[in-house]
Amino acid sequence: MVMKVYSPEFKADAVALYHSDPDLTIVQAARDLGINPETLRNWIRAGRTRGASPTKNTKDTLVSKATKEELEAETAALRAELKAVRKENATLAQERDILRKATNVFRRRDDLVTSRFQFIEDQRETFGVKRLCQVLDVVRSSYYKWRASREARARRERDDQALADTIKAVHTDSDGAYGAPRVTAELRDTHGMHINEKKVARVMRKFLITGVRLRKKVRTTMPEPSQTPVPDLFSRDFTAPAPNLKYMGDVTYIPVGDGEFLYLATAIECFSRRIVGWSLADHMRTSLVSDALKMAAATRGSLAGAIFHSDHGVQYGSRQFAALCAELCVTQSMGAVGTSADNAACESFHASLKRETLKGARDDDGASACRRTVFRWLTRYNTWRRHSANAQFSPIAYEQQSATLTLAA
C-alpha cells in the first residue's frame, strides 16, 4: 500500500524537487512521487505561509524565472543565428553528397550494393539496364528483385520509423534508462501493442536507442572482526511469498564532486522490491543504516517478525543496530564475509541507481543536486519504474495488484 504518513524530510524534499525545475508542474511532480497533486500543493502553500526561506537552488530558480524574458530574447537571437548556420551547412552537405556519389557508386564494396541498384534505377532510361549491370558488375536478377521489393521496403521503413518514435517517447519518460525488455513491456501494457521483444531490440539498434550501461563497482563494505556471528537466513533466496516478511539492505556511495561523497542506505522489501526505507548522508556511521530501517518500520507500520538481511559491514554488525532490530522485533541475517553474491539483489539495485542517475558521469553536481536526484529516482522507482522481478510492474503497482488478487480469492 502507498505510504499515508509522510515525514517532514519527505515533505521538504518534495517541495524542493518541485521548486528546482521551473518547467515541472505539480501534477508531474506528484506523479513521480506517487502522491496526490492536492497533497503536494498543500505542502507548497504551507511552506509559503510559514515564510520558509528558500534554499540556494530555489533562489537560483526564482532568479531564473525573474530573468526569463531576457533569456527568451537571447534564445530567440541564438535560434535565428543557428537557423542560418544550419541552412548554410545543409547547402554544403548537399554539395558534398553530390560529389561523393559520383565516386562511391562505382566502388566494388558490399555496403554500396544498394547505391548501385539505385544508380541503375536512376540511369536506366539513358543507358539501359543490361549495360549498366555489366559496367557495375551487378547481377540483373538481383537488381530486378530489389526493384520489385521497393514498396515492401518502404512500408517497413515507415513502420520502423513510427515504432522508433513511440520507443523514443517511452525511452525519454524513463530518463533514458529502459532497455528492450522494459520498453517492450511498456509498449504492451500502456500502448496496447502486441510486439516481440526482438523487434523492439532491432529497431532500437537501428535508431541508436540504448539504455544506460553499468559502471564499474566499488567495494564499500568494511567488515567488523569482533561482531557477533549472525546466520544467513536467506541462502541467496531474495523472494518472499507475501509483503513485510523479508527485507534486505546495503550501503553504497555516490560521488558529488571535489572528492566528496554521499552515502545511501536502503531497506528493500523482497516481495515487491519496494524501497520502504532509505537514508542519505555524508557519513557511514551506524545511524545511516538505522535511519533507513526506522523509515521502513514507519512505512509499514510494524516490522515485527520480519527478517532483515545484509552484508558484514561494520554498521550492520554494531551493537546499536542489533539493539534497534531487537526493539523492532526484526531478526538479523547476514551472508558470508567477502561474498557479494549473498546480497546480490541489493548490489544490483545500487548498480541500477548509479547507472540511471549518474548516466556515465564521474560525479553528481554537488550534494544538494545529488540529494534531489536520488530522492526523485527512489520515488519514481517505487511508483513508476517497471521491475523485471515483478513481471514488469512497478513495486507499488505489484503490491496493489497482489492485494486485489488476494481479496478476489
Side-chain angles (χ1 to χ4, degrees), residues 123-153:
Q123 303 295 330
R124 62 194 299 268
E125 297 296 334
T126 304
F127 300 103
V129 174
K130 180 178 180 179
R131 182 59 179 161
L132 287 169
C133 288
Q134 289 174 346
V135 172
L136 299 179
D137 194 18
V138 172
V139 179
R140 272 190 292 172
S141 60
S142 298
Y143 159 73
Y144 285 120
K145 182 178 180 181
W146 172 86
R147 193 168 186 267
S149 61
R150 284 180 300 177
E151 293 184 4
R153 289 198 308 276

Side-chain angles (χ1 to χ4, degrees), residues 279 281 283-292 294 315 320:
S279 178
H283 62 80
M284 287 202 303
R285 295 190 290 271
T286 303
S287 59
L288 178 71
V289 298
S290 297
D291 289 344
K294 290 176 182 177
Q315 301 88 353
Q320 180 181 345

Side-chain angles (χ1 to χ4, degrees), residues 80-293:
E81 182 180 353
L82 179 60
K83 183 178 180 180
V85 172
R86 284 179 173 172
K87 184 176 181 180
E88 182 180 356
N89 286 343
T91 302
L92 294 174
Q94 187 180 43
E95 295 177 357
R96 179 201 61 195
D97 292 340
I98 291 173
L99 293 174
R100 283 181 175 177
K101 184 177 180 181
T103 55
N104 288 345
V105 76
F106 292 103
R107 295 180 182 174
R108 299 187 60 179
R109 291 169 53 186
D110 294 338
D111 58 339
L112 291 172
V113 169
T114 301
S115 297
R116 295 178 186 182
F117 288 157
Q118 187 62 55
F119 185 82
I120 294 172
E121 180 68 17
D122 296 339
Q123 303 295 330
R124 62 194 299 268
E125 297 296 334
T126 304
F127 300 103
V129 174
K130 180 178 180 179
R131 182 59 179 161
L132 287 169
C133 288
Q134 289 174 346
V135 172
L136 299 179
D137 194 18
V138 172
V139 179
R140 272 190 292 172
S141 60
S142 298
Y143 159 73
Y144 285 120
K145 182 178 180 181
W146 172 86
R147 193 168 186 267
S149 61
R150 284 180 300 177
E151 293 184 4
R153 289 198 308 276
R155 184 167 56 253
R156 179 176 178 178
E157 285 295 326
R158 291 193 297 269
D159 293 344
D160 283 355
Q161 182 63 60
L163 179 58
D165 293 340
T166 306
I167 290 175
K168 287 177 182 177
V170 173
H171 191 256
T172 300
D173 287 343
S174 71
D175 289 339
Y178 278 6
R182 288 189 173 92
V183 169
T184 304
E186 186 73 16
L187 293 177
R188 290 172 178 170
D189 295 346
T190 305
H191 297 269
M193 299 174 64
H194 299 283
I195 191 168
N196 188 283
E197 182 181 325
K198 292 182 179 180
K199 182 176 181 180
V200 174
R202 176 182 64 80
V203 174
M204 291 182 69
R205 285 194 303 270
K206 180 178 179 180
F207 290 89
L208 304 179
I209 307 172
T210 59
V212 186
R213 289 175 170 79
L214 288 169
R215 302 177 71 230
K216 184 178 179 181
K217 296 181 180 179
V218 178
R219 184 185 178 192
T220 57
T221 302
M222 296 178 292
E224 171 57 58
S226 60
Q227 69 183 21
T228 304
V230 176
D232 182 359
L233 303 179
F234 269 39
S235 298
R236 301 187 182 180
D237 179 10
F238 305 108
T239 61
N244 208 27
L245 296 179
K246 295 170 65 177
Y247 293 85
M248 49 191 171
D250 199 1
V251 177
T252 190
Y253 80 101
I254 304 175
V256 296
D258 297 329
E260 297 182 356
F261 301 90
L262 286 182
Y263 299 94
L264 174 68
T266 51
I268 306 174
E269 213 273 335
C270 292
F271 175 72
S272 63
R273 301 301 171 92
R274 178 179 176 180
I275 312 304
V276 292
W278 72 81
S279 178
L280 189 65
D282 58 357
H283 62 80
M284 287 202 303
R285 295 190 290 271
T286 303
S287 59
L288 178 71
V289 298
S290 297
D291 289 344
L293 190 61

Side-chain angles (χ1 to χ4, degrees), residues 8 46 64 75 136 138 157 171 251 277 315 325 339 385 388 399 409:
S64 176
T75 301
L136 299 179
V138 172
E157 285 295 326
H171 191 256
V251 177
Q315 301 88 353
C325 289
T339 304
R385 185 183 183 278
S388 58
E399 289 183 358

Side-chain angles (χ1 to χ4, degrees), residues 11 15 26 36-50:
K11 296 178 181 179
V15 174
I26 291 178
N36 189 285
E38 283 301 318
T39 301
L40 178 58
R41 187 177 284 107
N42 291 336
W43 293 348
I44 295 172
R45 290 173 181 169
R48 292 171 180 169
T49 302
R50 291 194 298 270

